[in-house]
Coordinates of all heavy atoms in Angstrom, one line a residue:
P1359 N 7.4 -31.4 -8.0 CA 7.8 -30.0 -8.0 C 6.6 -29.0 -8.0 O 6.7 -28.0 -7.3 CB 8.7 -29.8 -9.3 CG 9.1 -31.2 -9.7 CD 8.1 -32.2 -9.1
F1360 N 5.6 -29.3 -8.8 CA 4.5 -28.4 -8.9 C 3.8 -28.4 -7.6 O 3.3 -27.3 -7.1 CB 3.5 -28.8 -10.0 CG 2.3 -28.0 -10.1 CD1 2.4 -26.7 -10.6 CD2 1.1 -28.4 -9.6 CE1 1.2 -25.9 -10.6 CE2 -0.1 -27.6 -9.6 CZ 0.0 -26.3 -10.1
Q1361 N 3.6 -29.5 -6.9 CA 2.9 -29.6 -5.6 C 3.6 -28.7 -4.6 O 2.9 -28.0 -3.8 CB 2.8 -31.0 -5.1 CG 2.0 -31.2 -3.9 CD 0.5 -30.7 -4.1 OE1 0.0 -30.8 -5.2 NE2 -0.1 -30.3 -3.0
S1362 N 4.9 -28.6 -4.6 CA 5.6 -27.8 -3.6 C 5.4 -26.3 -3.9 O 5.3 -25.5 -3.0 CB 7.1 -28.1 -3.6 OG 7.7 -27.8 -4.9
L1363 N 5.1 -25.9 -5.1 CA 4.8 -24.5 -5.4 C 3.4 -24.2 -5.0 O 3.2 -23.0 -4.5 CB 4.9 -24.3 -6.9 CG 6.3 -24.3 -7.5 CD1 6.2 -24.1 -9.0 CD2 7.2 -23.2 -6.9
V1364 N 2.5 -25.1 -5.0 CA 1.1 -24.8 -4.6 C 1.0 -24.6 -3.1 O 0.2 -23.8 -2.6 CB 0.2 -26.0 -5.0 CG1 -1.2 -25.9 -4.5 CG2 0.2 -26.1 -6.5
N1365 N 1.9 -25.2 -2.3 CA 1.8 -25.1 -0.9 C 2.7 -24.0 -0.3 O 2.8 -23.9 0.9 CB 2.3 -26.5 -0.3 CG 1.3 -27.6 -0.6 OD1 0.1 -27.3 -0.7 ND2 1.8 -28.8 -0.8
L1366 N 3.2 -23.2 -1.1 CA 4.0 -22.1 -0.6 C 3.2 -21.0 0.1 O 2.1 -20.7 -0.3 CB 4.8 -21.3 -1.8 CG 5.9 -22.1 -2.5 CD1 6.4 -21.3 -3.6 CD2 7.0 -22.4 -1.5
E1367 N 3.7 -20.6 1.2 CA 3.0 -19.5 2.0 C 3.4 -18.2 1.3 O 4.5 -18.0 0.9 CB 3.6 -19.5 3.4 CG 3.1 -20.7 4.3 CD 1.6 -20.6 4.6 OE1 1.2 -19.5 4.9 OE2 0.9 -21.6 4.5
P1368 N 2.4 -17.3 1.2 CA 2.7 -16.0 0.7 C 3.6 -15.2 1.6 O 3.6 -15.3 2.8 CB 1.3 -15.3 0.6 CG 0.5 -16.0 1.6 CD 1.0 -17.4 1.7
V1369 N 4.5 -14.4 0.9 CA 5.4 -13.6 1.7 C 4.7 -12.3 2.0 O 4.1 -11.7 1.1 CB 6.7 -13.2 0.8 CG1 7.6 -12.3 1.6 CG2 7.4 -14.5 0.5
K1370 N 4.6 -12.0 3.3 CA 3.9 -10.8 3.7 C 4.7 -9.9 4.5 O 5.8 -10.3 5.0 CB 2.6 -11.2 4.4 CG 2.9 -12.1 5.6 CD 1.6 -12.7 6.1 CE 1.9 -13.8 7.2 NZ 0.8 -14.4 7.7
V1371 N 4.3 -8.7 4.8 CA 5.0 -7.8 5.6 C 4.6 -8.0 7.1 O 3.4 -8.1 7.4 CB 4.8 -6.3 5.2 CG1 5.5 -5.3 6.1 CG2 5.2 -6.1 3.7
A1372 N 5.5 -8.0 8.0 CA 5.2 -8.2 9.4 C 4.3 -7.0 9.9 O 4.5 -5.8 9.5 CB 6.5 -8.2 10.2
A1373 N 3.3 -7.3 10.7 CA 2.4 -6.3 11.2 C 3.1 -5.1 11.9 O 2.7 -4.0 11.7 CB 1.4 -6.9 12.2
K1374 N 4.2 -5.4 12.6 CA 4.9 -4.3 13.3 C 5.5 -3.4 12.3 O 5.6 -2.2 12.5 CB 6.0 -4.9 14.2 CG 7.1 -5.7 13.5 CD 8.1 -6.2 14.5 CE 9.2 -6.9 13.6 NZ 10.3 -7.3 14.4
N1375 N 5.9 -3.9 11.1 CA 6.5 -3.0 10.1 C 5.4 -2.2 9.3 O 5.7 -1.1 8.9 CB 7.3 -3.8 9.1 CG 8.6 -4.4 9.8 OD1 9.0 -3.9 10.8 ND2 9.2 -5.4 9.2
I1376 N 4.2 -2.8 9.2 CA 3.1 -2.1 8.5 C 2.8 -0.9 9.3 O 2.6 0.2 8.7 CB 1.9 -3.0 8.4 CG1 2.2 -4.2 7.4 CG2 0.7 -2.2 7.9 CD1 1.1 -5.2 7.3
H1377 N 2.8 -1.0 10.6 CA 2.5 0.2 11.4 C 3.5 1.3 11.4 O 3.3 2.4 11.8 CB 2.2 -0.3 12.9 CG 1.0 -1.1 13.0 ND1 -0.3 -0.7 12.7 CD2 0.8 -2.4 13.2 CE1 -1.2 -1.6 12.8 NE2 -0.5 -2.7 13.2
L1378 N 4.8 1.0 11.0 CA 5.8 1.9 10.9 C 5.8 2.8 9.6 O 6.4 3.9 9.6 CB 7.2 1.2 10.9 CG 7.5 0.5 12.2 CD1 8.9 -0.2 12.1 CD2 7.6 1.5 13.4
L1379 N 5.0 2.4 8.7 CA 4.9 3.2 7.4 C 4.1 4.5 7.7 O 3.2 4.6 8.5 CB 4.1 2.4 6.3 CG 4.8 1.1 5.9 CD1 3.9 0.3 5.0 CD2 6.1 1.5 5.1
P1380 N 4.6 5.6 7.0 CA 4.0 6.9 7.3 C 2.6 7.0 6.9 O 2.2 6.6 5.8 CB 4.9 7.9 6.5 CG 5.6 7.0 5.5 CD 5.7 5.7 6.0
V1381 N 1.8 7.7 7.7 CA 0.3 7.9 7.5 C 0.1 9.4 7.5 O 0.6 10.1 8.4 CB -0.6 7.2 8.5 CG1 -2.0 7.5 8.3 CG2 -0.3 5.7 8.5
S1382 N -0.7 9.9 6.6 CA -1.0 11.3 6.5 C -2.5 11.4 6.3 O -3.2 10.4 6.0 CB -0.3 12.1 5.4 OG -0.6 11.5 4.2
V1383 N -3.1 12.6 6.5 CA -4.5 12.9 6.3 C -4.6 13.6 4.9 O -3.9 14.6 4.7 CB -5.1 13.7 7.4 CG1 -6.5 14.0 7.1 CG2 -5.0 12.9 8.7
Y1384 N -5.3 13.0 4.0 CA -5.5 13.6 2.7 C -6.2 14.9 2.7 O -7.2 15.0 3.4 CB -6.2 12.6 1.8 CG -6.3 13.0 0.4 CD1 -5.3 12.8 -0.5 CD2 -7.5 13.6 -0.1 CE1 -5.4 13.2 -1.8 CE2 -7.6 14.0 -1.4 CZ -6.5 13.8 -2.3 OH -6.6 14.2 -3.6
N1385 N -5.7 15.8 2.0 CA -6.3 17.2 1.9 C -6.2 17.5 0.4 O -5.2 17.8 -0.1 CB -5.6 18.2 2.7 CG -6.3 19.5 2.7 OD1 -7.1 19.8 1.8 ND2 -6.0 20.4 3.7
K1386 N -7.4 17.5 -0.3 CA -7.4 17.7 -1.7 C -6.8 19.1 -2.1 O -6.1 19.2 -3.1 CB -8.9 17.7 -2.2 CG -9.1 17.5 -3.6 CD -10.6 17.3 -3.9 CE -10.8 16.6 -5.2 NZ -12.2 16.2 -5.4
E1387 N -6.9 20.1 -1.3 CA -6.4 21.4 -1.6 C -4.9 21.4 -1.6 O -4.3 22.1 -2.4 CB -6.9 22.4 -0.5 CG -8.4 22.6 -0.5 CD -8.9 23.1 -1.9 OE1 -8.3 24.0 -2.5 OE2 -9.9 22.6 -2.4
N1388 N -4.2 20.5 -0.8 CA -2.8 20.5 -0.8 C -2.1 19.7 -1.9 O -1.0 19.9 -2.2 CB -2.3 19.8 0.5 CG -2.6 20.7 1.7 OD1 -2.9 21.9 1.6 ND2 -2.5 20.1 2.9
V1389 N -2.9 18.9 -2.7 CA -2.3 18.1 -3.7 C -2.9 18.5 -5.1 O -2.6 17.9 -6.1 CB -2.5 16.6 -3.5 CG1 -1.8 16.2 -2.3 CG2 -4.0 16.3 -3.4
K1390 N -3.6 19.6 -5.2 CA -4.2 20.0 -6.5 C -3.1 20.2 -7.6 O -3.4 19.8 -8.7 CB -4.9 21.4 -6.3 CG -6.4 21.3 -6.1 CD -7.0 22.7 -6.1 CE -8.5 22.6 -5.9 NZ -9.1 23.9 -5.8
N1391 N -2.0 20.8 -7.3 CA -1.0 21.0 -8.3 C 0.1 20.0 -8.3 O 1.1 20.2 -9.0 CB -0.4 22.4 -8.0 CG -1.4 23.5 -8.0 OD1 -2.3 23.5 -8.9 ND2 -1.3 24.5 -7.1
S1392 N -0.1 18.9 -7.6 CA 1.0 17.9 -7.6 C 0.6 16.8 -8.6 O -0.3 16.1 -8.5 CB 1.1 17.3 -6.2 OG 2.0 16.2 -6.2
A1393 N 1.5 16.7 -9.6 CA 1.3 15.6 -10.7 C 1.7 14.3 -10.1 O 1.2 13.3 -10.7 CB 2.1 16.0 -11.9
E1394 N 2.5 14.2 -9.1 CA 2.9 13.0 -8.6 C 1.9 12.3 -7.7 O 1.9 11.1 -7.6 CB 4.2 13.2 -7.8 CG 5.4 13.7 -8.6 CD 6.6 14.0 -7.8 OE1 6.7 13.4 -6.7 OE2 7.4 14.7 -8.2
Q1395 N 1.0 13.0 -7.1 CA 0.0 12.4 -6.1 C -1.2 11.9 -6.9 O -1.8 12.7 -7.6 CB -0.4 13.5 -5.1 CG -1.4 13.0 -4.1 CD -0.9 12.0 -3.1 OE1 0.2 12.0 -2.7 NE2 -1.7 11.0 -2.7
S1396 N -1.5 10.7 -6.8 CA -2.7 10.1 -7.4 C -3.9 10.6 -6.7 O -3.9 10.9 -5.5 CB -2.6 8.6 -7.4 OG -3.8 8.0 -7.9
S1397 N -5.0 10.7 -7.4 CA -6.2 11.1 -6.8 C -7.1 10.0 -6.3 O -8.2 10.2 -5.7 CB -7.0 12.0 -7.7 OG -7.4 11.3 -8.9
C1398 N -6.6 8.7 -6.5 CA -7.4 7.6 -6.0 C -6.5 6.5 -5.5 O -5.3 6.4 -5.8 CB -8.3 7.1 -7.2 SG -7.5 6.1 -8.4
C1399 N -7.1 5.6 -4.7 CA -6.4 4.5 -4.2 C -6.4 3.4 -5.3 O -7.4 3.0 -5.8 CB -7.1 4.0 -2.9 SG -6.5 2.5 -2.2
S1400 N -5.2 2.9 -5.6 CA -5.1 1.9 -6.7 C -5.5 0.5 -6.2 O -5.6 -0.4 -7.1 CB -3.6 1.8 -7.1 OG -3.2 3.0 -7.7
I1401 N -5.8 0.4 -5.0 CA -6.3 -0.9 -4.5 C -7.8 -1.0 -4.6 O -8.4 -1.9 -5.2 CB -5.8 -1.2 -3.0 CG1 -4.3 -1.3 -3.0 CG2 -6.5 -2.5 -2.5 CD1 -3.7 -1.4 -1.6
C1402 N -8.5 -0.1 -4.0 CA -10.0 -0.1 -4.0 C -10.6 0.7 -5.2 O -11.8 0.6 -5.5 CB -10.6 0.4 -2.7 SG -10.4 2.2 -2.4
L1403 N -9.8 1.6 -5.8 CA -10.1 2.4 -6.9 C -11.1 3.6 -6.5 O -11.6 4.3 -7.4 CB -10.7 1.6 -8.1 CG -9.7 0.5 -8.6 CD1 -10.4 -0.2 -9.8 CD2 -8.4 1.1 -9.1
D1404 N -11.3 3.8 -5.2 CA -12.1 5.0 -4.8 C -11.2 6.2 -4.7 O -10.0 6.1 -4.4 CB -12.6 4.7 -3.4 CG -13.8 3.8 -3.4 OD1 -14.4 3.5 -4.5 OD2 -14.2 3.3 -2.3
D1405 N -11.8 7.3 -5.0 CA -11.1 8.6 -4.9 C -10.7 8.9 -3.5 O -11.5 8.5 -2.6 CB -11.9 9.8 -5.5 CG -12.0 9.7 -7.0 OD1 -11.2 9.1 -7.7 OD2 -13.0 10.3 -7.5
F1406 N -9.6 9.5 -3.3 CA -9.2 10.0 -2.0 C -10.1 11.2 -1.7 O -10.4 12.0 -2.5 CB -7.8 10.5 -1.9 CG -6.8 9.4 -2.0 CD1 -5.8 9.4 -2.9 CD2 -6.8 8.3 -1.1 CE1 -4.8 8.4 -3.1 CE2 -5.9 7.3 -1.2 CZ -4.9 7.3 -2.2
E1407 N -10.6 11.3 -0.4 CA -11.5 12.4 0.0 C -10.7 13.1 1.1 O -10.0 12.4 1.9 CB -12.8 11.9 0.5 CG -13.6 11.1 -0.6 CD -14.2 12.1 -1.7 OE1 -14.3 13.3 -1.4 OE2 -14.4 11.6 -2.8
T1408 N -11.0 14.4 1.3 CA -10.3 15.1 2.4 C -10.7 14.4 3.7 O -11.8 14.1 3.9 CB -10.8 16.6 2.3 OG1 -10.4 17.2 1.1 CG2 -10.3 17.4 3.5
G1409 N -9.7 14.2 4.5 CA -9.8 13.6 5.8 C -9.5 12.1 5.8 O -9.3 11.5 6.8
D1410 N -9.3 11.5 4.6 CA -8.9 10.1 4.5 C -7.5 9.9 5.0 O -6.6 10.7 4.8 CB -9.0 9.5 3.1 CG -10.4 9.3 2.5 OD1 -11.4 9.4 3.3 OD2 -10.5 9.1 1.3
K1411 N -7.3 8.7 5.7 CA -6.0 8.4 6.2 C -5.3 7.7 5.0 O -5.8 6.7 4.4 CB -6.0 7.5 7.4 CG -6.4 8.1 8.6 CD -6.4 7.2 9.8 CE -6.8 7.9 11.1 NZ -6.9 7.0 12.2
V1412 N -4.1 8.2 4.6 CA -3.4 7.7 3.4 C -2.0 7.3 3.9 O -1.3 8.0 4.6 CB -3.2 8.8 2.4 CG1 -2.4 8.4 1.2 CG2 -4.6 9.3 1.9
K1413 N -1.7 6.0 3.5 CA -0.4 5.5 3.9 C 0.5 5.4 2.7 O 0.1 5.0 1.6 CB -0.5 4.1 4.5 CG 0.7 3.5 5.1 CD 0.4 2.2 5.9 CE -0.1 2.6 7.2 NZ -0.2 1.5 8.2
T1414 N 1.8 5.9 2.8 CA 2.7 5.9 1.7 C 3.8 4.8 1.9 O 4.4 4.7 3.0 CB 3.4 7.3 1.7 OG1 2.4 8.3 1.6 CG2 4.3 7.4 0.5
L1415 N 4.0 4.1 0.9 CA 5.1 3.1 0.9 C 6.4 3.7 0.6 O 6.5 4.8 0.1 CB 4.7 2.0 -0.2 CG 3.4 1.2 0.1 CD1 3.2 0.1 -1.0 CD2 3.3 0.7 1.5
P1416 N 7.5 2.9 0.8 CA 8.8 3.5 0.5 C 9.1 3.9 -0.9 O 9.9 4.7 -1.2 CB 9.8 2.3 0.9 CG 9.0 1.5 1.9 CD 7.6 1.6 1.5
C1417 N 8.3 3.3 -1.9 CA 8.4 3.7 -3.3 C 7.6 5.0 -3.6 O 7.5 5.4 -4.7 CB 7.9 2.6 -4.1 SG 6.2 2.1 -3.8
F1418 N 6.9 5.5 -2.6 CA 6.2 6.8 -2.6 C 4.8 6.6 -3.2 O 4.1 7.6 -3.5 CB 6.9 7.9 -3.3 CG 8.2 8.3 -2.5 CD1 9.4 7.9 -3.0 CD2 8.1 8.9 -1.3 CE1 10.6 8.2 -2.3 CE2 9.3 9.2 -0.6 CZ 10.5 8.8 -1.1
H1419 N 4.3 5.4 -3.5 CA 2.9 5.2 -3.9 C 2.1 5.3 -2.6 O 2.4 4.7 -1.6 CB 2.7 3.9 -4.6 CG 3.4 3.9 -6.0 ND1 4.4 3.1 -6.3 CD2 3.1 4.6 -7.1 CE1 4.7 3.3 -7.6 NE2 4.0 4.2 -8.0
A1420 N 0.9 5.9 -2.8 CA 0.0 6.1 -1.6 C -1.3 5.4 -1.8 O -1.8 5.4 -2.9 CB -0.2 7.6 -1.4
F1421 N -1.9 5.0 -0.7 CA -3.1 4.2 -0.7 C -3.9 4.5 0.5 O -3.4 5.0 1.5 CB -2.9 2.7 -0.7 CG -1.9 2.3 -1.8 CD1 -0.5 2.2 -1.5 CD2 -2.3 1.9 -3.0 CE1 0.4 1.9 -2.4 CE2 -1.4 1.6 -4.0 CZ 0.0 1.5 -3.7
H1422 N -5.2 4.2 0.5 CA -6.0 4.3 1.8 C -5.2 3.4 2.8 O -4.8 2.3 2.5 CB -7.4 3.8 1.6 CG -8.3 4.7 0.9 ND1 -8.9 4.3 -0.3 CD2 -8.7 6.0 1.1 CE1 -9.6 5.3 -0.8 NE2 -9.5 6.3 0.1
A1423 N -5.1 3.9 4.0 CA -4.3 3.2 5.0 C -4.9 1.8 5.2 O -4.2 0.8 5.3 CB -4.3 3.9 6.3
A1424 N -6.2 1.7 5.3 CA -6.9 0.4 5.6 C -6.7 -0.6 4.4 O -6.5 -1.8 4.6 CB -8.4 0.6 5.9
C1425 N -6.7 0.0 3.2 CA -6.5 -0.9 2.0 C -5.1 -1.5 1.9 O -5.0 -2.7 1.7 CB -6.8 -0.1 0.7 SG -8.5 0.5 0.5
V1426 N -4.1 -0.6 2.1 CA -2.8 -1.1 2.0 C -2.4 -2.0 3.2 O -1.6 -2.9 3.0 CB -1.8 0.1 1.7 CG1 -1.4 0.8 3.0 CG2 -0.5 -0.4 1.0
D1427 N -2.9 -1.7 4.3 CA -2.6 -2.6 5.5 C -3.1 -4.0 5.2 O -2.4 -5.0 5.4 CB -3.3 -2.1 6.8 CG -2.6 -0.8 7.3 OD1 -1.6 -0.4 6.8 OD2 -3.2 -0.3 8.3
K1428 N -4.3 -4.1 4.7 CA -4.9 -5.4 4.3 C -4.0 -6.1 3.2 O -3.7 -7.3 3.3 CB -6.3 -5.3 3.9 CG -7.0 -6.6 3.6 CD -8.5 -6.3 3.3 CE -9.2 -7.6 3.1 NZ -10.6 -7.4 2.8
W1429 N -3.6 -5.3 2.2 CA -2.8 -5.8 1.1 C -1.5 -6.3 1.7 O -1.0 -7.4 1.3 CB -2.5 -4.7 0.1 CG -1.5 -5.0 -1.0 CD1 -0.2 -4.8 -0.9 CD2 -1.8 -5.6 -2.2 NE1 0.4 -5.3 -2.1 CE2 -0.6 -5.8 -2.9 CE3 -3.0 -6.1 -2.8 CZ2 -0.5 -6.4 -4.1 CZ3 -2.8 -6.7 -4.1 CH2 -1.6 -6.8 -4.7
L1430 N -0.8 -5.6 2.5 CA 0.5 -6.0 3.0 C 0.5 -7.1 3.9 O 1.5 -7.8 4.2 CB 1.2 -4.8 3.6 CG 1.6 -3.6 2.7 CD1 2.1 -2.4 3.4 CD2 2.6 -4.1 1.6
K1431 N -0.7 -7.4 4.5 CA -0.8 -8.6 5.3 C -0.8 -9.9 4.5 O -0.6 -11.0 5.0 CB -2.1 -8.6 6.2 CG -1.9 -7.5 7.3 CD -3.2 -7.4 8.1 CE -3.1 -6.3 9.1 NZ -4.3 -6.0 9.8
M1432 N -1.0 -9.7 3.1 CA -1.0 -10.9 2.2 C 0.1 -10.8 1.2 O 0.4 -11.8 0.5 CB -2.3 -10.9 1.5 CG -3.5 -11.1 2.4 SD -5.1 -11.2 1.5 CE -5.3 -9.5 0.9
N1433 N 0.8 -9.6 1.0 CA 1.8 -9.4 0.0 C 2.9 -8.6 0.5 O 2.7 -7.8 1.4 CB 1.2 -8.7 -1.2 CG 0.0 -9.4 -1.8 OD1 0.2 -10.3 -2.6 ND2 -1.2 -9.0 -1.4
H1434 N 4.1 -8.7 -0.1 CA 5.2 -8.0 0.4 C 5.7 -7.0 -0.6 O 6.8 -6.4 -0.5 CB 6.4 -8.9 0.8 CG 7.0 -9.6 -0.4 ND1 6.4 -10.6 -1.1 CD2 8.3 -9.4 -0.9 CE1 7.2 -11.0 -2.1 NE2 8.3 -10.3 -2.0
V1435 N 4.9 -6.7 -1.6 CA 5.3 -5.7 -2.7 C 4.2 -4.7 -2.9 O 3.1 -4.9 -2.5 CB 5.5 -6.5 -4.0 CG1 6.7 -7.4 -4.0 CG2 4.3 -7.2 -4.5
C1436 N 4.6 -3.5 -3.4 CA 3.7 -2.5 -3.8 C 2.7 -3.0 -4.8 O 3.2 -3.6 -5.8 CB 4.5 -1.3 -4.3 SG 3.4 0.0 -5.0
P1437 N 1.4 -2.7 -4.7 CA 0.5 -3.2 -5.7 C 0.6 -2.5 -7.1 O 0.1 -2.9 -8.1 CB -0.9 -2.9 -5.1 CG -0.7 -2.0 -4.0 CD 0.8 -2.1 -3.6
V1438 N 1.4 -1.3 -7.1 CA 1.5 -0.6 -8.4 C 2.8 -1.0 -9.1 O 2.8 -1.4 -10.2 CB 1.5 0.9 -8.1 CG1 1.8 1.7 -9.3 CG2 0.1 1.3 -7.6
C1439 N 4.0 -0.8 -8.4 CA 5.3 -1.0 -9.0 C 5.9 -2.3 -8.7 O 7.0 -2.6 -9.2 CB 6.2 0.2 -8.7 SG 6.7 0.2 -7.0
K1440 N 5.4 -3.1 -7.8 CA 5.9 -4.4 -7.3 C 7.2 -4.3 -6.6 O 7.9 -5.3 -6.4 CB 6.0 -5.4 -8.5 CG 4.7 -5.5 -9.3 CD 3.6 -6.0 -8.4 CE 2.4 -6.3 -9.2 NZ 1.1 -6.0 -8.5
K1441 N 7.6 -3.1 -6.2 CA 8.8 -3.0 -5.4 C 8.6 -3.6 -4.0 O 7.5 -3.4 -3.4 CB 9.2 -1.5 -5.2 CG 10.5 -1.3 -4.4 CD 11.0 0.1 -4.3 CE 12.2 0.1 -3.5 NZ 12.8 1.4 -3.3
E1442 N 9.6 -4.3 -3.5 CA 9.4 -5.0 -2.2 C 9.3 -4.0 -1.1 O 10.0 -3.0 -1.1 CB 10.6 -5.9 -1.9 CG 10.5 -7.2 -2.7 CD 11.5 -8.3 -2.3 OE1 11.8 -8.3 -1.1 OE2 11.9 -9.0 -3.1
V1443 N 8.4 -4.2 -0.2 CA 8.3 -3.4 1.1 C 9.1 -4.2 2.1 O 9.0 -5.4 2.3 CB 6.8 -3.3 1.5 CG1 6.7 -2.5 2.8 CG2 6.0 -2.6 0.4
D1444 N 10.0 -3.5 2.8 CA 10.9 -4.1 3.8 C 10.1 -5.0 4.7 O 9.1 -4.6 5.4 CB 11.6 -3.0 4.6 CG 12.7 -3.6 5.5 OD1 13.1 -4.7 5.3 OD2 13.1 -2.8 6.4
T1445 N 10.5 -6.3 4.8 CA 9.9 -7.2 5.7 C 10.7 -7.5 6.9 O 10.4 -8.4 7.7 CB 9.7 -8.6 4.9 OG1 10.9 -9.1 4.5 CG2 8.7 -8.4 3.8
E1446 N 11.8 -6.8 7.2 CA 12.6 -7.0 8.3 C 12.2 -6.1 9.5 O 11.8 -5.0 9.3 CB 14.1 -6.7 8.0 CG 14.6 -7.8 7.0 CD 14.5 -9.2 7.5 OE1 14.8 -9.5 8.7 OE2 14.1 -10.1 6.7

């Protein structure tokens, strides 16, 4: 039983679905007063800078587009809240 768990393939999001997630350009001035918008990427822990491409998951958590694309190629859940990202 344990050996079968070790050989499991990770569940990931299909590349075609990763590209469907919304991307925006971060602008510090537009999010100054928003308590909901994080000021850093929870994957790489770098602050968002004006001009960065930011991708938002269905749970509304946002990350650097390149960071979350790489994450979703290996995982099917949000790195913050663990909500599943649609894999269909």
Side-chain angles (χ1 to χ4, degrees):
F1360 177 73
Q1361 185 61 29
S1362 63
L1363 291 175
V1364 173
N1365 294 327
L1366 288 177
E1367 287 290 318
V1369 179
K1370 54 191 174 184
V1371 178
K1374 65 179 181 172
N1375 293 340
I1376 293 172
H1377 294 294
L1378 295 176
L1379 293 168
V1381 178
S1382 59
V1383 176
Y1384 184 82
N1385 184 340
K1386 198 173 205 172
E1387 296 302 315
N1388 291 346
V1389 294
K1390 263 187 182 176
N1391 299 322
S1392 175
E1394 294 177 25
Q1395 178 73 31
S1396 175
S1397 63
C1398 76
C1399 174
S1400 299
I1401 297 172
C1402 70
L1403 303 178
D1404 285 344
D1405 288 338
F1406 292 126
E1407 299 291 335
T1408 297
D1410 286 352
K1411 290 183 180 177
V1412 176
K1413 189 168 281 192
T1414 304
L1415 299 184
C1417 57
F1418 299 105
H1419 288 116
F1421 310 90
H1422 287 119
C1425 294
V1426 78
D1427 286 355
K1428 187 174 180 179
W1429 172 270
L1430 292 173
K1431 288 176 184 173
M1432 298 181 290
N1433 302 280
H1434 70 289
V1435 296
C1436 170
V1438 173
C1439 68
K1440 305 300 183 213
K1441 181 176 178 178
E1442 286 192 31
V1443 177
D1444 188 15
T1445 57
E1446 294 302 318

